[in-house]
Amino acid sequence: MGSTAALERSGRSTAARFRKPSWRDPRLLVGLLLVLLSVLGVILLVATANRTQPYYVAANDLSVGQRITREDLGTVDAHLQDSSAQYVPDGQLRENAVVTQRVARGQLVPAAAVGTADELDRTPVGIALTTPMPAQAEAGSHVDVWVAEPKPTGRGYGAPEKLVTGAEIARVDTKDTALGGNASATVYVLVTQAQVGPLVDALGNDAKVTLVLNTAGSGS
């Protein structure tokens, strides 16, 4: 008898283990919840990875010292991840902002390139050239500014001296002269406050100013 009862209990135990689980089984519910949470986590992770945000781009070349208006900017959706803080999001342009670093057309506007007039460490000075522009000189290039003062006799110029080294060109304005002559150019170079006085003084004395391309791109 005892043996038969033991076999019956073992059979019932085995049947219980292989019985089809019910929807009320807590283990099944917990398993389903874990699967749902895993799927939801993957969906959120993919959505976060693909999330974009509108940022400002330069609609035109932006020169140092230029006051920025909304017309100077466009927007583009970008996914920048860790570098998002380095650029200006749409709608977050500070009032009376000016360009502190040149931004080329079509580029995202770096946060470091936008500031106030008080933060400018360089000033654009316009030089109307009487000599040809250096080859490959354009906005963003660096040039050395050479100045030759007029001789006291009024005839010719003295020995040229390098007044500024590695000045960045902010922009170049060109126009055709009358009667179909050669185009003249006014080059705006960025100089420090200490360099403004000597350069303006030389220009006021009708000195001959020559720009020489500085391939090193460093100023002093």
Side-chain angles (χ1 to χ4, degrees):
M1 287 293 291
S3 177
T4 302
L7 288 174
E8 289 179 352
R9 287 195 298 271
S10 176
R12 287 196 297 268
S13 176
T14 302
R17 286 199 302 270
F18 289 99
R19 185 181 302 144
K20 185 177 181 180
S22 169
W23 285 103
R24 296 180 180 180
D25 190 333
R27 293 172 297 178
L28 181 59
L29 294 177
V30 170
L32 290 173
L33 180 60
L34 291 176
V35 171
L36 290 175
L37 289 176
S38 177
V39 172
L40 181 60
V42 172
I43 293 174
L44 291 176
L45 181 62
V46 172
T48 301
N50 294 328
R51 184 180 301 165
T52 61
Q53 182 176 353
Y55 289 87
Y56 284 127
V57 295
N60 303 290
D61 289 343
L62 303 180
S63 303
V64 174
Q66 174 182 342
R67 189 174 297 278
I68 307 174
T69 66
R70 189 61 184 84
E71 289 69 28
D72 298 319
L73 304 172
T75 58
V76 64
D77 290 334
H79 177 58
L80 302 181
Q81 292 185 318
D82 296 338
S83 60
S84 60
Q86 299 178 21
Y87 299 93
V88 183
D90 181 23
Q92 297 189 22
L93 182 68
R94 67 174 72 179
E95 189 176 357
N96 297 323
V98 299
V99 181
T100 57
Q101 299 176 16
R102 179 180 178 272
V103 183
R105 178 182 179 181
Q107 288 185 347
L108 290 172
V109 178
V114 178
T116 63
D118 295 337
E119 296 172 349
L120 290 173
D121 59 354
R122 297 174 297 169
T123 301
V125 175
I127 301 174
L129 294 182
T130 57
T131 57
M133 278 278 292
Q136 301 177 341
E138 58 185 9
S141 301
H142 292 76
V143 291
D144 297 335
V145 182
W146 288 78
V147 173
E149 297 284 352
K151 290 183 178 179
T153 60
R155 295 183 177 181
Y157 297 89
E161 296 182 359
K162 185 162 60 174
L163 194 62
V164 182
T165 301
E168 181 182 352
I169 296 178
R171 75 175 191 271
V172 179
D173 292 342
T174 59
K175 62 179 180 179
D176 293 332
T177 57
L179 302 177
N182 294 329
S184 61
T186 298
V187 181
Y188 292 83
V189 296
L190 300 172
V191 296
T192 65
Q193 290 297 326
Q195 295 167 333
V196 170
L199 182 55
V200 171
D201 183 62
L203 295 172
N205 290 334
D206 295 326
K208 184 177 182 180
V209 180
T210 303
L211 304 181
V212 178
L213 193 66
N214 184 319
T215 55
S218 58
S220 63

